[in-house]
Amino acid sequence: MNYNNIEILDCTLRDGGYYTNWWFGDQFVKNYLITVSKLPINIVELGYLSNNKDDAGLYYHLNKKTLIQSKKLLRKNQKIYVMINLKEFKTINDLKKILKENSNYIDGVRFAVSAFEIDKYKKFIDMACNEFKKLEINVNIMYFSK
């Protein structure tokens, strides 16, 4: 079997945020990114891009500064992905705005979408694919077991 085309995605911070409300100490994140930079990991999914007004931490509300600092700690050939929960976005323009603000600092986006709402959000995903061609776009189907 040929594994040359397999890319490994690590989502430790994004997924671990469910236990910490996306708050992580600076030194912990630095140590994590330095460690990941030495591993055969191709993609690091740092957290979410979100405009929600809530008490979730920095890794649910990633910003330019954090993305730039993180990229500096990773290998040049490692990609940074973010996740976007499409149910948080009321309009395509809201999504377009957050992607425009951050697209120069990320390599890809994974959209979290319920399997039962994929048709509802297709136009959001289509916009991202058409307007942000340099970004790798993936769809993460949620709640498929229901």
Side-chain angles (χ1 to χ4, degrees):
M1 183 170 277
N2 181 354
Y3 294 103
N4 292 336
N5 295 325
I6 293 176
E7 289 190 308
I8 299 172
L9 180 145
D10 181 88
C11 59
T12 298
L13 294 181
R14 198 265 312 148
D15 205 33
Y18 289 101
Y19 300 96
T20 66
N21 201 28
W22 292 276
W23 290 105
F24 297 99
D26 293 342
Q27 191 60 50
F28 172 82
V29 173
K30 183 177 180 180
N31 291 342
Y32 159 77
L33 291 171
I34 289 169
T35 301
V36 165
S37 75
K38 298 173 184 173
L39 298 173
I41 292 171
N42 308 90
I43 302 166
V44 177
E45 187 174 270
L46 284 180
Y48 282 89
L49 290 181
S50 174
N51 286 329
N52 266 5
K53 305 297 180 222
D54 56 34
D55 64 346
L58 176 61
Y59 291 87
Y60 198 89
H61 299 281
L62 287 165
N63 59 46
K64 173 183 168 180
K65 179 182 174 189
T66 302
L67 293 167
I68 290 170
Q69 288 174 340
S70 297
K71 192 72 164 175
K72 289 178 182 177
L73 294 171
L74 295 172
R75 291 190 321 271
K76 298 268 186 242
N77 66 339
Q78 284 178 306
K79 300 172 187 175
I80 290 182
Y81 273 34
V82 295
M83 185 167 272
I84 291 179
N85 190 347
L86 280 175
K87 71 181 178 187
E88 293 180 8
F89 290 85
K90 304 296 183 229
T91 70
I92 290 175
N93 283 333
D94 291 340
L95 175 61
K96 188 185 292 189
K97 182 176 187 254
I98 202 167
L99 285 174
K100 188 174 183 179
E101 290 169 356
N102 294 283
S103 65
N104 289 330
Y105 314 106
I106 60 177
D107 301 293
V109 176
R110 289 200 320 145
F111 289 110
V113 184
S114 165
F116 306 102
E117 295 183 310
I118 193 77
D119 289 338
K120 177 180 177 181
Y121 293 111
K122 183 181 181 313
K123 61 187 173 212
F124 287 74
I125 297 165
D126 287 345
M127 178 283 299
C129 290
N130 292 326
E131 303 246 346
F132 298 92
K133 295 192 184 293
K134 88 164 194 80
L135 294 179
E136 296 174 10
I137 307 289
N138 292 273
V139 177
N140 186 38
I141 302 296
M142 310 292 288
Y143 316 117
F144 207 55
S145 62
K146 292 182 183 180

